[in-house]
Amino acid sequence: MTNAPNAPETPATTVRAATPADLDAIADLHTRARATYYRERLPDAQLDSPAERERRRDGWGRALARPDATVLCAERDGTVVGAASYRREDGAPADTVMLNQLHVDPGCWRGGVGTALHRACVAGWRSAGIATARLEVYWHNSRARAFYTRHGWQPDETRRPAPDDTHLGLVLPLTPAGR
């Protein structure tokens, strides 16, 4: 793939398994992303306070420690610029997975980082024989909803939101590798 004339060069994105050494970088970028897409919808104290950053850090630490979870991070020039985590849902069919998190540093939005993470997730799911992926997205996050729609996600008709729900369930049907 070549860049169009006069198009800025985009650094290469590498997606790899996250390690405990990535925890602070992942928590920081998640906090920045969350503060950006929830701004004006939630009080600032709920977005980027030290307590909220610590909540993000604790959540990602738990994901990294779970033997049944996969945590990926995207890097550019040695800097973590995106992260994703998924695992099979408790009580769900064995061929179903839940994408729990996918976040990109706001400075890298629309630069291919989210797509690289998404492709890595889908490749992992297919190689594991996963038939269905699910996620929940914040209803008012139109940027994220458009991203998921571009990548084939559709409203999950089996999980209708309650009238006061703030999130929308989406589903991605998959064809496992080798079929």
Side-chain angles (χ1 to χ4, degrees), residues 90-107:
D90 296 334
D95 65 350
T96 302
V97 70
M98 177 67 110
L99 177 60
N100 296 303
Q101 306 281 349
L102 193 153
H103 301 282
V104 174
D105 191 290

Side-chain angles (χ1 to χ4, degrees), residues 62-93:
R62 285 190 305 276
L64 282 164
R66 284 187 76 122
D68 63 339
T70 298
V71 180
L72 303 173
C73 62
E75 285 186 327
R76 284 195 173 157
D77 296 327
T79 300
V80 175
V81 293
S85 74
Y86 62 86
R87 67 181 181 87
R88 291 200 168 116
E89 287 183 275
D90 296 334

Side-chain angles (χ1 to χ4, degrees), residues 33-50:
R34 188 172 187 273
T36 302
Y37 59 74
Y38 281 139
R39 188 77 59 208
E40 298 180 14
R41 297 250 177 230
L42 295 174
D44 286 352
Q46 291 182 6
L47 298 176
D48 43 20
S49 70

Side-chain angles (χ1 to χ4, degrees), residues 101-172:
Q101 306 281 349
L102 193 153
H103 301 282
V104 174
D105 191 290
C108 295
W109 284 356
R110 304 288 302 166
V113 174
T115 295
L117 278 167
H118 188 268
R119 282 185 185 139
C121 289
V122 170
W125 300 335
R126 284 189 170 133
S127 69
I130 300 299
T132 305
R134 299 186 187 287
L135 66 79
E136 290 186 350
V137 63
Y138 182 58
W139 181 261
H140 294 288
N141 190 344
S142 58
R143 183 195 50 77
R145 290 176 58 193
F147 170 86
Y148 291 120
T149 298
R150 280 192 310 275
H151 288 86
W153 294 79
Q154 46 201 259
D156 186 348
E157 298 299 327
T158 67
R159 296 183 182 198
R160 290 278 209 214
D164 61 346
D165 204 347
T166 59
H167 288 75
L168 174 67
L170 300 177
V171 63
L172 179 67

